[in-house]
Amino acid sequence: MTVQPNGLAERRIVITGGGRGLGRVVAEDLLRHGARVVIVGRKSTVTQWIQEHHAGSAVTADVTDAAQLAAAFAEAAARLGGLDVVFANAGVSRPGPLAVTPPANFTTVLETNVVGTFLTLQAAVPYLAESGSARFIALSSALAQRIAPGAGAYSISKAAIETLVRVAAIELAPQSISVNALSPGFIDEGMGRDLIANPPVWDRYLPTIAAGRPGRAEEIAGVARFLAGPDSDYVNGHVLEVNGGLAF
Ligand SMILES: NC(=O)c1ccc[n+]([C@@H]2O[C@H](COP(=O)([O-])OP(=O)(O)OC[C@H]3O[C@@H](n4cnc5c(N)ncnc54)[C@H](OP(=O)(O)O)[C@@H]3O)[C@@H](O)[C@H]2O)c1
């Protein structure tokens, strides 16, 4: 396949949680389009990624740990000679009704998704500020703004991420850093694949998708590429939904 020039060549990109799931598909798509990518992940996933790619393209950090993230971003920026784009993609879900969700599960979701995105932003900004045309892209979800019983902790965390994005976009614009959210619907990869494989849950959601099918991970990667590249220069503080049209 011939890849056309797209403004991504040599763009220096970090993706948290890029070692598996959606983040991995996005990372590999960006690599194919000429970007230089370092993934940030926990140890087992990073080890696996390194076996399949090369050691220079991964660093280890837990996104709930500010010191680990600071070290990981320093290392990634040193390897790439700076940073232009950061995807705060790492995330978790712990389904269950709010009234009986173990507090530890609720805390894990909020710490990983909200505090993790916040700490990733703090670690990334000193490097992105040097880019001149930088992007910070957080992963939200269709469930940020839609009510789904059993998805309380996750929905709350993604709604917080969307607010974080809107505030940070205004605060960071003077440093030429745009901040957006990519909000997938039900995707046939990562945690979406688990949901699709759960008949009582999927039977409820499938009829709500206008497209009549789940999204493909490649369809998220294409939009991620748009948000990372020059065609999205004037997009800021935006939540870009990619869900085939949802009616709930
Ligand atoms: N797939 C979907 O349908 C869908 C829909 C809407 C939104 N999203 C969002 O897309 C993002 C990726 O989800 P996914 O479906 O690819 O999920 P996934 O397959 O479960 O992958 C999650 C990734 O996040 C990493 N991660 C989790 N906690 C971490 C931590 N404390 N520190 C560092 N890395 C951590 C995981 O690393 P480990 O391997 O170390 O666990 C893994 O690489 C998430 O933010 C999710 O909410 C997904």
Side-chain angles (χ1 to χ4, degrees):
M1 184 180 75
T2 308
V3 176
Q4 302 298 321
N6 51 36
L8 285 172
E10 299 302 312
R11 205 115 157 95
R12 302 160 297 180
I13 300 179
V14 163
I15 306 182
T16 68
R20 67 180 170 91
L22 269 187
R24 180 190 175 103
V25 176
V26 169
E28 291 180 338
D29 177 88
L30 290 164
L31 282 167
R32 275 197 303 279
H33 283 81
R36 298 171 59 212
V37 176
V38 168
I39 67 141
V40 174
R42 290 183 291 194
K43 202 161 193 270
S44 60
T45 315
V46 162
T47 305
Q48 172 84 15
W49 171 275
I50 286 173
Q51 278 165 9
E52 294 164 21
H53 293 81
H54 61 90
S57 64
V59 289
T60 305
D62 187 311
V63 298
T64 63
D65 186 316
Q68 287 184 24
L69 274 177
F73 272 82
E75 179 61 30
R79 288 184 196 170
L80 297 173
L83 294 181
D84 303 301
V85 180
V86 170
F87 284 91
N89 164 80
V92 293
S93 178
R94 296 283 185 275
L98 280 176
V100 295
T101 291
N105 284 7
F106 190 84
T107 303
T108 296
V109 173
L110 272 288
E111 271 188 352
T112 308
N113 298 1
V114 184
V115 180
T117 298
F118 162 72
L119 293 176
T120 300
L121 182 87
Q122 291 208 327
V125 161
Y127 304 102
L128 294 179
E130 299 296 315
S131 162
S133 173
R135 306 279 193 276
F136 184 88
I137 301 150
L139 265 289
S140 184
S141 161
L143 298 181
Q145 304 297 339
R146 292 174 182 83
I147 303 308
Y154 184 73
S155 292
I156 290 164
S157 75
K158 293 300 185 178
I161 285 174
E162 293 189 0
T163 300
L164 179 152
V165 158
R166 293 190 180 96
V167 175
I170 302 304
E171 292 180 349
L172 295 172
Q175 295 173 72
S176 298
I177 303 170
S178 66
V179 184
N180 293 295
L182 170 51
S183 172
F186 301 106
I187 310 301
D188 66 359
E189 183 57 76
M191 56 178 78
R193 184 157 55 189
D194 300 339
L195 188 145
I196 290 164
N198 184 345
V201 177
W202 186 235
D203 290 350
R204 179 147 45 95
Y205 289 123
L206 180 57
T208 71
I209 306 173
R213 62 167 178 84
R216 292 187 288 275
E218 296 71 27
E219 292 171 316
I220 299 302
V223 177
R225 209 188 311 134
F226 162 70
L227 287 174
D231 291 341
S232 63
D233 266 349
Y234 204 57
V235 180
N236 200 11
H238 187 65
V239 177
L240 182 42
E241 293 205 291
V242 187
N243 57 34
L246 281 181
F248 81 97

